[in-house]
Amino acid sequence: NTIEFTGALRETVVKQVRLKNPSGKTLQYGAILLGRDADDFSVPKGNTITIHPRRQTTINVEFTSRFLRPAEAVLLLITKRVGGIEGVTLAFSLKSEVNHVEP
């Protein structure tokens, strides 16, 4: 999946990613940002995401543009084994576009 961030130069844009846990056990993920522009993206509530059984959660992904050129990174959510269950590793492509510049 691709998450697109569009906004003004130096503006922080927030997108939400919804994660579901259909299993009867708790899932835990570690968030890692990779790529040329990974420093421009962040997961502000920390790099560990816990999803309780048969629940869902939403995580925020933030982008702050520093340059006019498009930025790209990858958000990896790598499962951590909790109580003998392991989920699927998830990958999201992060892309940005600056559509406005204020003097």
Side-chain angles (χ1 to χ4, degrees):
N1 291 335
T2 300
I3 303 171
E4 296 183 8
F5 298 81
T6 304
L9 184 64
R10 293 189 179 83
E11 176 184 48
T12 298
V13 179
V14 179
K15 294 287 183 161
Q16 293 184 330
V17 177
R18 186 176 63 190
L19 303 170
K20 293 182 181 180
N21 178 3
S23 76
K25 304 230 178 181
T26 299
L27 288 177
Q28 193 170 66
Y29 288 93
I32 300 172
L33 291 160
L34 303 169
R36 172 185 74 183
D37 302 306
D39 290 341
D40 297 337
F41 296 90
S42 67
V43 180
K45 291 203 175 181
N47 294 335
T48 300
I49 298 113
T50 302
I51 312 170
H52 297 288
R54 294 182 181 81
R55 301 277 180 155
Q56 63 183 9
T57 190
T58 303
I59 62 168
N60 289 338
V61 180
E62 292 184 355
F63 168 73
T64 303
S65 60
R66 297 183 299 148
F67 305 106
L68 289 173
R69 68 169 169 74
E72 294 184 3
V74 174
L75 170 63
L76 281 179
L77 297 176
I78 300 172
T79 184
K80 295 180 179 180
R81 188 176 293 265
V82 177
I85 190 167
E86 192 169 326
V88 176
T89 296
L90 304 171
F92 297 91
S93 175
L94 309 176
K95 297 187 179 205
S96 76
E97 177 183 352
V98 173
N99 65 354
H100 183 71
V101 178
E102 298 235 355

